[in-house]
Amino acid sequence: LCIYKGNTMKRTTLLLTALMSILLCSAQSLKIKRAEFEQWKNSSLKSEKFDSLPYRIAHINDQSDSSPMLVVWLHGGHSCGEDNSSHIGDNYGAVARLSVYLQSYNRNAILVAPHLNEDMRNNTTAATVALCRLIDHLIVSQGIDPTRVYLIGASFGGMMATKVASARPDIPAAVEIIGTVPHIEATVPAQFAVCCVASDADNPRKFERTADQMYRLDSEGYKTLFVEYSGLSHRDICERGIDTKTLDWLFNHSRSR
């Protein structure tokens, strides 16, 4: 069972069979063969570094007549490192799935995947500062449309997305948080949209805290989408979070100039 909740947290419950059909179609539409992804990664997903933070970057559907949006993928904790490679396959091909979506829907986008190391995992304040500095750098150096910056993270990456959004509510147009509690404490509330994907089987207490936080954000005026699954593990929910339904909603938001 899955429940989608939008603003005012109204519930729209879909029949399980119909929902699973939709989700399977979404998942299949974002799949890419490993050989094809490796070829794309080697040719298009460049390895860069800003200050001491390594990251992968690709310009998808380059359209010279418009400024690209920025999509920042934040990986899970088990992929922390410094090789600027192991996080690319994090959460079961999230970068591949994002690249397929952006290409398929002809989105003019800069896709970025920073690689946080263990020191930054243990010092999230330093990691937050490093990520904010990187995003500021990319907005200028890549000619990003500043009204269309999106943060997507799963597990530890979801927590980092909430920290960046809280520290710099002027950055994101929308944030997607997968498999972790959306502890967003922005000094200027309701500046961006928030999507959260969670499962009651991941961790019941965490699921309750996630629901509470989404109700709070909704009551504070944020545009919200809360996607609740039943029976999916942490691994499964981190994979399911990257699908066309949530990405369509996410990229439909932009900031006011």
Side-chain angles (χ1 to χ4, degrees):
L1 180 66
C2 177
I3 301 172
Y4 289 84
K5 298 179 183 178
N7 275 88
T8 70
M9 307 303 279
K10 293 178 180 177
R11 290 176 175 244
T12 303
T13 305
L14 305 179
L15 291 175
L16 179 61
T17 53
L19 173 70
M20 291 309 296
S21 176
I22 292 170
L23 290 177
L24 287 172
C25 289
S26 297
Q28 289 172 356
S29 68
L30 297 183
K31 285 184 177 179
I32 183 173
K33 293 181 179 179
R34 180 174 294 274
E36 293 176 356
F37 177 65
E38 287 297 323
Q39 182 180 9
W40 176 81
K41 181 180 74 174
N42 294 334
S43 63
S44 302
L45 197 60
K46 298 178 182 178
S47 179
E48 303 284 353
K49 180 178 284 190
F50 177 71
D51 288 346
S52 60
L53 180 60
Y55 62 95
R56 290 296 190 107
I57 182 170
H59 195 164
I60 299 174
N61 297 320
D62 188 356
Q63 299 168 15
S64 58
D65 60 339
S66 63
S67 298
M69 64 183 186
L70 177 62
V71 180
V72 182
W73 163 252
L74 299 170
H75 62 78
H78 65 279
S79 293
C80 287
E82 300 187 35
D83 62 3
N84 208 15
S85 181
S86 57
H87 66 311
I88 300 304
D90 182 58
N91 294 110
Y92 325 104
V95 172
R97 292 157 74 88
L98 284 168
S99 71
V100 170
Y101 175 92
L102 294 169
Q103 292 178 64
S104 299
Y105 288 83
N106 198 34
R107 301 276 190 174
N108 180 17
I110 299 291
L111 173 61
V112 173
H115 199 184
L116 301 176
N117 59 29
E118 286 292 344
D119 288 341
M120 287 189 173
R121 183 183 184 185
N122 295 324
N123 186 348
T124 56
T125 299
T128 301
V129 171
L131 289 169
C132 290
R133 284 176 51 80
L134 173 61
I135 293 170
D136 285 337
H137 165 71
L138 292 170
I139 289 173
V140 175
S141 65
Q142 300 295 325
I144 299 296
D145 178 351
T147 69
R148 296 181 61 77
V149 177
Y150 304 92
L151 309 177
I152 305 172
S155 195
F156 169 72
M159 181 185 71
M160 290 311 307
T162 67
K163 288 184 175 296
V164 170
S166 296
R168 290 286 305 278
D170 59 306
I171 286 180
V175 181
E176 181 175 356
I177 302 156
I178 306 165
T180 195
V181 182
H183 287 300
I184 293 174
E185 299 292 345
T187 55
V188 182
Q191 292 262 320
F192 47 85
V194 180
C195 172
C196 189
V197 183
S199 171
D200 58 2
D202 181 356
N203 179 308
R205 290 186 63 188
K206 182 171 71 174
F207 182 78
E208 291 177 6
R209 294 198 303 272
T210 297
D212 289 343
Q213 288 297 316
M214 290 301 288
Y215 274 107
R216 177 184 66 82
L217 292 171
D218 183 74
S219 67
E220 291 179 357
Y222 286 84
K223 295 178 181 178
T224 60
L225 177 66
F226 186 20
V227 183
E228 300 181 19
Y229 285 89
S230 179
L232 294 184
S233 67
H234 184 73
R235 173 186 175 120
D236 288 338
I237 201 64
C238 287
E239 180 178 7
R240 289 282 177 85
I242 302 292
D243 65 36
T244 55
K245 191 176 185 69
T246 54
L247 292 178
D248 284 346
W249 185 89
L250 197 75
F251 297 141
N252 192 45
H253 293 88
S254 62
R255 298 178 65 92
S256 300
R257 292 189 180 273

